[in-house]
Amino acid sequence: MEYNREITDMIMIQYIILYTLAQADRIVTHSQLTTLVLDNCNINFADFQIALDNLSSIGFVRLFTANDNNQYCELLPKGVESNGFFQGSIPIYIREPIKKSIAPFFHEEELKKSVRADLMPLNEKEFLAECGIFEGKTPLMQLSVYGGTREMAADMIRNFKKDPEKIYRLIMKALTEEENQDA
C-alpha cells in the first residue's frame, strides 16, 4: 500500500469498490474483494462494509451466497456504467496499485487451487498420500501412493506440496522416456 492516509470518504470508498470489481472483471468472493481493496487502500473494514452494502442496496453490486456458503460480489450494469463515469475521480495513486495487484492476486489463487494433496486412511495404521495437479477442474496428474504409516504419508504430501512441478516433470519424464534400444 503506497498511499497510507486513511480514506474515510464514503463516496470515494464506493468508487474504489466499483473500480476494483470492474478491474477484476469477474464475480469475486467477499473475501477476495476485501483483500484486494484493503491490501491496497487504507480503509477501515467497517467503512468498507457499509459502502459495499450501500452499493448493493442501490443496485450497483449484487451480493449473494452460493451453495458453497461463500458470499459473492457481482458488478451489475448500473455499477459498470457508474464506474466508467467516476473512475477518473479516484486518484491515480490509489487506482494503479489496485490495477497492478489484480492479475497476480488471481494467478496466486489459481496456483493454490491447482495443487492438492490429502492424507487418506486405509485403516487405523495404514495411510495413502493422494496428490494431484489441476488446471481449473481438469486433472493434469493424480496419484495415490501407499505411505504405510501416517508419518510417511504426511512426509510424501509435504514433499509434494514443496515442489509439485519437479515431481510432475520427473513422472512425465519417466512415463514418456523411450526405452533403451540396446537391451
Side-chain angles (χ1 to χ4, degrees):
M1 178 177 10
E2 295 174 21
Y3 183 70
N4 290 326
R5 191 167 179 199
E6 185 172 358
I7 302 167
T8 57
D9 179 357
M10 277 299 176
I11 301 298
M12 181 58 67
I13 295 170
Q14 290 178 53
Y15 292 165
I16 290 169
I17 292 169
L18 291 175
Y19 177 76
T20 304
L21 286 169
Q23 290 299 307
D25 195 27
R26 66 184 83 194
I27 295 173
V28 298
T29 66
H30 184 276
S31 176
Q32 290 170 328
L33 179 63
T34 303
T35 299
L36 284 166
V37 172
L38 299 186
D39 281 0
N40 290 292
C41 302
N42 189 3
I43 298 173
N44 176 296
F45 177 75
D47 290 343
F48 167 82
Q49 191 60 50
I50 290 167
L52 182 59
D53 289 343
N54 187 49
L55 288 170
S56 176
S57 69
I58 61 176
F60 286 25
V61 172
R62 180 171 78 108
L63 302 175
F64 62 97
T65 303
N67 293 340
D68 60 2
N69 289 325
N70 282 323
Q71 187 175 33
Y72 291 88
C73 307
E74 177 182 22
L75 187 60
L76 297 175
K78 282 174 58 176
V80 171
E81 184 180 327
S82 182
N83 176 66
F85 188 73
F86 291 113
Q87 77 179 12
S89 301
I90 304 169
I92 190 109
Y93 53 83
I94 293 174
R95 273 191 321 231
E96 283 303 309
I98 292 170
K99 186 176 182 176
K100 287 179 183 176
S101 72
I102 287 178
F105 176 82
F106 285 113
H107 179 71
E108 184 66 30
E109 286 216 338
E110 285 301 315
L111 284 177
K112 287 178 189 174
K113 292 179 192 172
S114 69
V115 176
R116 300 180 202 149
D118 295 306
L119 189 68
M120 301 298 291
L122 293 172
N123 57 47
E124 288 182 18
K125 296 182 181 182
E126 296 179 302
F127 294 85
L128 284 176
E130 297 265 339
C131 305
I133 299 174
F134 297 81
E135 187 170 307
K137 293 183 179 184
T138 305
L140 300 177
M141 176 183 79
Q142 286 183 291
L143 348 182
S144 296
V145 183
Y146 177 76
T149 67
R150 179 182 198 87
E151 294 77 24
M152 178 62 84
D155 285 343
M156 290 177 179
I157 289 170
R158 196 172 13 267
N159 289 329
F160 180 78
K161 285 182 174 180
K162 193 183 317 176
D163 196 354
E165 292 86 10
K166 176 183 175 186
I167 294 168
Y168 179 75
R169 281 192 312 273
L170 290 170
I171 290 173
M172 289 305 293
K173 181 179 179 189
L175 291 174
T176 58
E177 193 175 83
E178 290 186 31
E179 289 187 37
N180 188 349
Q181 299 294 334
D182 297 337

